[in-house]
Every structure is written in C-alpha cells, then in structure tokens.
C-alpha cells in the first residue's frame, strides 16, 4: 500500500482525489470560462474516465493529481499535480510524468496555481527524485504558458491532439527550477 500525501501551503489544501470530488470537478471543467482552454466539452462519463486514470496513476506510479481547496474550506476549486499518462504524442512526451493544473475561473489570477504547483513539484522531487516532467498547454493560454515558464518548463514543439486542438508541448529537466 502506498502512503498518499496531503500537502498544505500557506493558502491551499491539496488532497488525493476521492469519489466525492468527481461531480464538483466536472462542474469546474464544464464552466465555459474555466474550460475555454481545455478542449471540447467533456461529458460526465469522460470526466469519470479521467478521474479513474488519475487514481490509477497514484496506484501504479505513486503520484497523480491533487484536488485543490482553499485552506480550511471544503469547496473544491480545482486540481493540479503530476500524473502518468500516454497521449500518443510521441516518445519525447509519452511515458513521462506529466504536470497539469486547472483552477476554477473564480480563482484565477491570484497566484494559487503557482503556489499549488510549487508545492507539488517540491513533493514530487522529494518522493521520486529529480525526473524530467512534461506538460501540454493549449495555444493561446498565455497565463498557463507564463506559469509553466516560471516552473522551469521550456517549449519542445507544437502538436495536434486527436480532437484537432493545437497545444504546446513543454518539458522540465530533472531538478528544474521551481
């Protein structure tokens, strides 16, 4: 059995997801403003599959996404973390730890994603050692591209997803700055 982490920052509480997080997180990603850079609208069943893949990442690899709450509050405001997935984007991307972050539109622009990801990267490196980490960001998502740069990610190339959306693939070297 793996020991599941629980991270606390100055303003945030980051917990491993539970089944109770599925519906609130689906509501967050389904909101037009929050979901504008997340690709096509995601059905409840597709969202369940994403959540189950995240749970599998924890079980198989010992890392995955965290559910983000403001410290001392129960309302879910997003998710972030480092998970393992195969997207069919090539050897330079697939089969690597992948970082991702999504916050509710109501909580954007406050530095919360940065605070959360700094904590996650620090935990990941302490728990798993320095590793190369990848991420992908939708073209036009200037805020996430800026945050990725601050976290030490550098662009590798653009790619087209199966649904036709264009993304930038980025990579953070082992022990990259955060």
């Amino acid at each position: 059995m793996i020991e599941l982490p629980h991270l606390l920052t100055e303003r945030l509480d980051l917990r491993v997801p539970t089944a109770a997080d599925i519906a609130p997180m689906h509501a967050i990603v389904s909101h037009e403003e929050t979901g504008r850079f997340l690709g096509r609208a995601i059905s409840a069943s597709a969202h369940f599959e994403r959540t189950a893949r995240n749970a599998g990442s924890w079980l198989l690899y010992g890392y995955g996404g965290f559910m983000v709450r403001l410290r001392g509050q129960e309302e879910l405001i997003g998710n972030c973390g480092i998970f393992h997935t195969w997207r069919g984007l090539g050897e330079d991307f697939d089969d690597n730890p992948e970082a991702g972050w999504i916050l509710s539109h109501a909580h954007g622009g406050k530095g919360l994603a940065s605070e959360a990801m700094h904590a996650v990267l620090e935990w990941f490196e302490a728990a798993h050692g320095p590793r190369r980490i990848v991420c992908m960001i939708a073209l036009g998502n200037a805020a996430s591209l800026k945050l990725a740069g601050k976290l030490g990610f550098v662009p590798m190339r653009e790619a087209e997803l199966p649904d036709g959306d264009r993304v930038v693939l980025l990579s953070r070297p082992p022990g990259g700055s955060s």
Side-chain angles (χ1 to χ4, degrees), residues 82-123:
I82 300 171
F83 49 93
H84 209 93
T85 190
W86 289 72
R87 296 185 183 271
L89 295 173
E91 289 183 21
D92 62 342
F93 194 85
D94 291 334
D95 200 23
N96 284 286
E98 181 181 341
W101 51 89
I102 300 170
L103 286 185
S104 157
H105 70 285
H107 294 283
K110 301 175 185 177
L112 296 173
S114 177
E115 185 175 326
M117 285 307 299
H118 277 96
V120 168
L121 288 164
E122 182 179 312
W123 166 81

Side-chain angles (χ1 to χ4, degrees), residues 31 74 96 136:
H31 188 280
E74 285 301 313
N96 284 286
M136 69 175 195

Side-chain angles (χ1 to χ4, degrees), residues 57-152:
S57 181
W58 279 109
L59 182 64
L60 296 174
Y61 297 96
Y63 55 89
F66 291 88
M67 296 294 111
V68 180
R69 291 170 171 78
L70 295 174
R71 203 163 173 169
Q73 298 185 23
E74 285 301 313
E75 177 190 4
L76 186 66
I77 66 166
N79 67 20
C80 71
I82 300 171
F83 49 93
H84 209 93
T85 190
W86 289 72
R87 296 185 183 271
L89 295 173
E91 289 183 21
D92 62 342
F93 194 85
D94 291 334
D95 200 23
N96 284 286
E98 181 181 341
W101 51 89
I102 300 170
L103 286 185
S104 157
H105 70 285
H107 294 283
K110 301 175 185 177
L112 296 173
S114 177
E115 185 175 326
M117 285 307 299
H118 277 96
V120 168
L121 288 164
E122 182 179 312
W123 166 81
F124 182 83
E125 191 163 308
H128 299 280
R131 307 254 316 262
R132 178 177 178 266
I133 303 169
V134 297
C135 72
M136 69 175 195
I137 299 173
L139 290 179
N141 190 342
S144 280
L145 287 168
K146 182 177 178 181
L147 174 56
K150 288 181 180 179
L151 296 172

